[in-house]
Amino acid sequence: MIFVITRLCRDCVDGACVEACPVDCIVEHAPQGRPSELPNQLFIDPDQCIGCRMCEPACPWQAIFDETDVPFAFRDDIELNAIAGARPAEFVVPEARLTRQVSAEEVLANRLKWTQQRGSAK
Amino acid sequence: MLYMKTRVTFRLPQDLADELRELPNQTRFVEAALREALGVACPLCQGSGRCQPRRLAISNFRRRALPALERGSALELRRIVRIGRELSATSLELERSAASGVAFVLTRGREVLLAGQLERSGSVSPKNIAQRGES
């Protein structure tokens, strides 16, 4: 595994990283015949990622981290991304989505929200 | 050694049948045509008619210490990856080249399908598009 999409992506699911990835390794969970049990976010298939670093700056929510730099509060998301490599048949490369400009305040608020949720869950 | 061969009967349109009958050595001609047609097996399925899904292994940027891509060269890399998947390629080797660019070699088994250089501007300089390997 090289890069990881953390929960900062959840419910925002911007497609800029999908557009940036040259090997189509950014996927969403879309199992056949049943709803997804995974959170509404994108994942990086660790078996396909080549570590080119194109996705990291593309994400307006700053949700993508080098595996070795994932903040402690989001370390669980490394395992979530690994599911994409373990069950590739359940994942698809999503259609390109409209992306929007995000302010620094929104990025900070999103980060705070998920960090606090992680903290209160413990 | 005509007596050692098996007789096969098949139907043909009249015009083809007429042309075949005009040939001096019909058996040898049909045999050669059959062998040639059967000998050109599809390189993807080796004549089986079914392609097995193959995974394209692509060099890792970190392990190869490759330079960061610019937007244009990333788009070119994406095109090469997609071509490779369509051609059932098995490997895309990337290496740092002299001009701080990235050189690539796309192969299927031992057969080189495409090789060249990802330029920073995003254009590809193909060195060659190899013909189907003999070995």
Side-chain angles (χ1 to χ4, degrees):
Chain A
M1 186 175 291
I2 310 291
F3 283 88
V4 174
I5 300 181
T6 63
R7 64 193 64 201
L8 296 175
C9 170
R10 282 181 204 174
D11 304 327
C12 309
V13 200
D14 191 287
C17 57
V18 179
E19 289 292 300
C21 176
V23 297
D24 294 330
C25 77
I26 296 178
V27 291
E28 66 182 358
H29 191 224
Q32 294 274 324
R34 65 181 166 88
S36 170
E37 73 279 13
L38 298 182
N40 177 33
Q41 69 165 79
L42 298 173
F43 305 91
I44 291 179
D45 181 339
D47 296 337
Q48 302 285 333
C49 177
I50 58 171
C52 68
R53 208 174 266 272
M54 292 300 292
C55 59
E56 189 186 24
C59 176
W61 295 99
Q62 299 174 18
I64 303 177
F65 293 87
D66 186 308
E67 181 189 28
T68 56
D69 296 334
V70 177
F72 181 76
F74 310 140
R75 295 291 292 178
D76 294 349
D77 299 334
I78 297 175
E79 289 305 310
L80 270 183
N81 283 248
I83 295 172
R87 295 163 16 199
E90 296 180 12
F91 290 80
V92 295
V93 178
E95 294 290 318
R97 295 180 169 93
L98 286 176
T99 59
R100 70 177 180 91
Q101 295 291 320
V102 181
S103 68
E105 289 76 24
E106 284 179 290
V107 172
L108 193 62
N110 186 49
R111 192 180 182 108
L112 209 59
K113 178 182 91 172
W114 286 109
T115 308
Q116 284 173 345
Q117 282 200 11
R118 176 70 165 72
S120 60
K122 283 214 157 188
Chain B
M1 302 280 258
L2 202 56
Y3 63 90
M4 292 179 71
K5 294 184 175 174
T6 304
R7 182 180 293 271
V8 176
T9 309
F10 54 93
R11 294 180 183 277
L12 278 178
Q14 188 62 50
D15 57 332
L16 268 183
D18 292 343
E19 285 188 44
L20 185 61
R21 288 198 180 104
E22 285 174 14
L23 294 174
N25 195 333
Q26 297 168 28
T27 300
R28 185 170 294 172
F29 178 85
V30 171
E31 189 177 328
L34 274 174
R35 284 192 191 284
E36 189 182 337
L38 293 172
V40 185
C42 166
L44 299 183
C45 69
Q46 310 301 328
S48 71
R50 290 177 63 85
C51 285
Q52 298 296 322
R54 293 195 234 186
R55 197 176 145 219
L56 177 61
I58 306 169
S59 299
N60 184 292
F61 271 64
R62 188 172 298 170
R63 281 185 217 122
R64 292 282 171 95
L66 295 172
L69 294 176
E70 293 189 2
R71 177 75 181 147
S73 39
L75 286 172
E76 287 305 325
L77 178 58
R78 168 185 270 187
R79 288 191 198 111
I80 293 163
V81 167
R82 289 183 175 173
I83 288 169
R85 287 183 176 141
E86 281 180 19
L87 295 176
S88 290
T90 51
S91 169
L92 177 59
E93 290 284 331
L94 302 171
E95 277 187 7
R96 183 188 281 266
S97 67
S100 67
V102 176
F104 68 89
V105 182
L106 182 68
T107 57
R108 182 172 53 225
R110 288 188 215 165
E111 179 186 359
V112 175
L113 302 173
L114 187 66
Q117 169 98 17
L118 288 175
E119 302 291 351
R120 281 180 168 259
S121 61
S123 60
V124 174
S125 324
K127 281 181 189 157
N128 67 72
I129 299 174
Q131 297 298 312
R132 186 164 179 248
E134 294 302 315
S135 56

